[in-house]
């Protein structure tokens, strides 16, 4: 007498991804909350003037900065506090505009910078293929 034989079931090898989704959502919330606090940049005393703000739905701007000593900086999201020369700045702007051609380009010049340094920067940006350049200001108090 053969008794009841149990049928062997095939093992299923699946990865449970629910814990990974939970971890990713927590990380997303943490990065969204801390990203605005991590903004870095060059210390520049902007001139005060009444100006219109960039639209909220526009791309992140490319910010070309000039400090009081006339050194040039470029902020394209992965900002660094290291001065660069105009040719390097032009190349970086061109490569960024190839990736996001609709990104606005803004000049952030110190209130005490020489006028010539601002004009040289704007001419370099024009030669790099930037169609329009905005000037960043500090709101009047």
């Amino acid at each position: 007498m053969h008794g009841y034989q149990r049928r062997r079931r095939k093992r299923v090898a699946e990865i449970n991804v629910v814990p990974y989704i939970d971890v990713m959502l927590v990380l997303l919330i943490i990065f969204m909350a801390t990203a605005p606090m991590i903004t870095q940049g060059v210390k520049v005393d902007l001139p005060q003037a009444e100006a219109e703000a960039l639209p909220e739905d526009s791309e992140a701007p490319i910010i070309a900065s000039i400090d009081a000593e006339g050194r040039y900086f470029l902020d394209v999201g992965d900002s660094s506090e290291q001065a660069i020369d105009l040719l390097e700045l032009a190349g970086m702007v061109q490569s960024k505009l190839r990736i996001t051609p609709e990104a606005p380009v803004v000049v952030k010049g110190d209130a005490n910078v020489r006028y010539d340094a601002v004009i040289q920067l704007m001419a370099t940006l024009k030669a790099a293929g930037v169609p329009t350049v905005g000037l960043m200001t500090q709101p009047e108090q």
Side-chain angles (χ1 to χ4, degrees):
M1 235 185 177
H2 284 285
Y4 174 73
Q5 286 188 342
R6 266 200 307 187
R7 207 182 230 179
R8 289 194 168 235
R9 291 177 53 177
K10 219 174 164 184
R11 289 188 186 235
V12 179
E14 290 184 9
I15 297 175
N16 188 4
V17 295
V18 174
Y20 299 117
I21 293 171
D22 292 342
V23 170
M24 292 304 294
L25 288 174
V26 169
L27 288 174
L28 177 67
I29 291 170
I30 290 171
F31 287 127
M32 286 174 54
T34 59
M37 293 182 257
I38 303 177
T39 57
Q40 298 176 355
V42 181
K43 175 73 172 116
V44 174
D45 294 325
L46 292 174
Q48 294 186 354
E50 193 65 35
E52 186 178 323
L54 286 173
E56 290 291 325
D57 60 346
S58 68
E59 290 284 330
I62 300 170
I63 302 172
S65 304
I66 311 170
D67 66 0
E69 286 84 36
R71 297 177 300 189
Y72 299 101
F73 302 87
L74 188 65
D75 181 6
V76 288
D78 54 348
S79 73
S80 66
E81 295 185 22
Q82 200 158 344
I84 57 175
D85 64 343
L86 282 174
L87 292 175
E88 187 178 355
L89 186 137
M92 291 172 72
V93 168
Q94 280 179 336
S95 64
K96 178 65 176 173
L97 285 177
R98 273 190 232 115
I99 297 169
T100 54
E102 64 278 347
V105 179
V106 181
V107 172
K108 178 181 173 183
D110 194 276
N112 301 317
V113 74
R114 294 184 348 261
Y115 180 69
D116 179 55
V118 176
I119 295 301
Q120 285 182 7
L121 176 59
M122 292 180 78
T124 301
L125 291 173
K126 181 174 173 76
V130 176
T132 58
V133 176
L135 296 174
M136 190 178 279
T137 60
Q138 186 76 21
E140 289 184 309
Q141 296 175 349

